[in-house]
Amino acid sequence: SSSELQLTVYRLWKKINTLSLSNVPAKWISIPLNLDKYLFINCKSSHCDMSTQLTGNTCYFQTYLFALLCKVGRPIITPNGRSIDLRNPDLLEKVTIRIARFLFTFFFDSQNQILRPLTNSNFVLDFFRYRSSPYFTAFAQYLKVKKVPVPDYDRQYEGVTKYYVFTKSLH
């Protein structure tokens, strides 16, 4: 019944939330990634380390990057257990470049004729704060390192505000 299921889920939740890593019989060590190039999921200054959060509220994005590493890069622990190889580093590079470009053209993409105007109502007021965003700078620098043109992000604002003027509505 649903009450039995609810009780089972609650017991699992309670058990998970009382688990302490000190009770896990394992030796915790850091092992490096075997990467010789910057793929955004890793640290720009030390390719063997994972990237770190650039702002205080980006744990979801770091989780996304880790999922991307796992899903696309397909990591495996080397036979000696001292590092991690990626089965698809070239594919991971292509995907991270596409994601960076996508974020620069999310709201308005004139090349592909895409407009996504239904966004946060603060868009009009807050848009230009992107210039102080660590992630904006990181993605722009990443594309430059990869010798990929960085889309003009100001076009996002122009495209969406033209839509707002045309429809005379923010949503």
Side-chain angles (χ1 to χ4, degrees):
S1 73
S2 65
S3 61
E4 289 177 38
L5 178 60
Q6 289 172 337
L7 187 58
T8 302
V9 169
Y10 175 74
R11 284 184 186 141
L12 285 171
W13 175 84
K14 190 173 180 182
K15 183 177 180 181
I16 288 170
N17 285 294
T18 58
L19 182 65
S20 170
L21 292 179
S22 62
N23 296 337
V24 177
K27 181 179 176 184
W28 299 95
I29 59 169
S30 295
I31 58 175
L33 294 168
N34 287 335
L35 284 174
D36 59 358
K37 58 185 171 181
Y38 178 45
L39 301 178
F40 203 80
I41 54 93
N42 56 336
C43 181
K44 185 166 72 171
S45 59
S46 175
H47 300 160
C48 296
D49 297 331
M50 280 294 293
S51 67
T52 56
Q53 288 182 211
L54 298 178
T55 63
N57 298 324
T58 58
C59 59
Y60 296 115
F61 191 69
Q62 284 304 119
T63 302
Y64 173 74
L65 291 178
F66 182 73
L68 196 64
L69 169 71
C70 294
K71 182 73 175 171
V72 178
R74 298 187 56 220
I76 55 171
I77 297 175
T78 57
N80 66 10
R82 295 182 184 208
S83 61
I84 296 174
D85 281 335
L86 296 182
R87 293 183 187 120
N88 297 320
D90 294 334
L91 180 59
L92 184 59
E93 181 175 35
K94 289 177 186 173
V95 168
T96 53
I97 289 169
R98 287 189 66 194
I99 288 169
R101 287 193 50 79
F102 174 76
L103 292 175
F104 278 104
T105 60
F106 176 79
F107 296 111
F108 177 68
D109 182 351
S110 59
Q111 184 177 7
N112 294 311
Q113 298 182 336
I114 295 172
L115 177 65
R116 296 182 182 95
L118 304 179
T119 181
N120 183 317
S121 60
N122 292 337
F123 179 86
V124 174
L125 300 173
D126 291 344
F127 181 82
F128 287 101
R129 292 177 61 195
Y130 79 82
R131 293 180 179 133
S132 61
S133 166
Y135 277 103
F136 171 79
T137 304
F139 275 118
Q141 289 175 348
Y142 180 64
L143 291 175
K144 288 176 186 174
V145 165
K146 296 298 176 183
K147 299 189 180 5
V148 174
V150 178
D152 180 3
Y153 198 64
D154 288 340
R155 301 250 355 248
Q156 301 293 296
Y157 186 79
E158 294 166 11
V160 173
T161 53
K162 281 181 184 176
Y163 170 82
Y164 292 156
V165 168
F166 177 75
T167 62
K168 297 180 180 30
S169 173
L170 289 178
H171 285 281

